[in-house]
Amino acid sequence: MAIQELKINTGRQGLYEITDEISGFITKNKISEGICVVFTPHTTAGITINENADPDVVRDILFGLEKAFPDRKEFIHSEGNSAAHLKASCVGSSVNIIITNGKLMLGTWQGIYFCEFDGPRSRKVTIKVIVDADL
Ligand code: ZN
């Protein structure tokens, strides 16, 4: 059973690329064919796949989410972080990536990111691989 947990200490808000950690897990476990699930068990953080070539894209994603989901005086959640909850639901808490020939089938410009919307916090990401023999 191929499963691993990553720990990430975050700042207030940000996208943290975890592609290398996930690729390393695939290599270490000699997984050739399968499906990799990357999941985070938090309600104000998420997982997404997006461009890792131009760092301005990450900056613009955070800027755009801030504009789309600003803090609002009408929010009633007592913790005061409803905007972060909205961003987390928008982004989602997991991604699936196909593994073939021992590699993640990501596009040329794609990277896997952990998204912090309400840090700083100590966060967890779980990687689980279902190898073809299990299916
Ligand atoms: Zn909350």
Side-chain angles (χ1 to χ4, degrees):
M1 185 174 70
I3 190 163
Q4 184 182 315
E5 190 173 276
L6 303 177
K7 288 198 178 351
I8 303 173
N9 292 314
T10 64
R12 196 181 74 79
Q13 277 202 70
L15 269 60
Y16 297 80
E17 187 169 9
I18 54 174
T19 312
D20 287 350
E21 285 83 351
I22 296 160
S23 293
F25 176 76
I26 307 296
T27 305
K28 187 181 80 183
N29 287 283
K30 299 181 171 60
I31 297 156
S32 175
E33 304 288 327
I35 296 167
C36 179
V37 180
V38 182
F39 172 77
T40 192
H42 303 289
T43 59
T44 54
I47 302 287
T48 195
I49 294 175
N50 216 298
E51 177 165 336
N52 65 359
D54 179 0
D56 287 348
V57 173
V58 162
R59 181 257 173 216
D60 286 353
I61 287 171
L62 286 166
F63 176 81
L65 285 170
E66 191 65 37
K67 288 291 178 190
F69 304 109
D71 194 22
R72 294 185 184 278
K73 64 180 186 326
E74 293 88 352
F75 288 152
I76 60 171
H77 172 46
S78 62
E79 196 184 9
N81 61 353
S82 286
H85 287 290
L86 289 173
K87 291 172 190 170
S89 267
C90 175
V91 163
S93 56
S94 69
V95 294
N96 300 318
I97 309 111
I98 297 166
I99 302 162
T100 191
N101 294 320
K103 289 201 165 85
L104 295 168
M105 225 174 110
L106 290 168
T108 307
W109 310 114
Q110 286 185 318
I112 306 160
Y113 289 91
F114 174 82
C115 311
E116 176 61 78
F117 299 121
D118 192 33
R121 291 178 193 249
S122 181
R123 300 295 204 175
K124 293 176 191 168
V125 174
T126 303
I127 307 164
K128 164 76 180 172
V129 172
I130 301 157
V131 296
D132 267 0
D134 293 342
L135 298 174

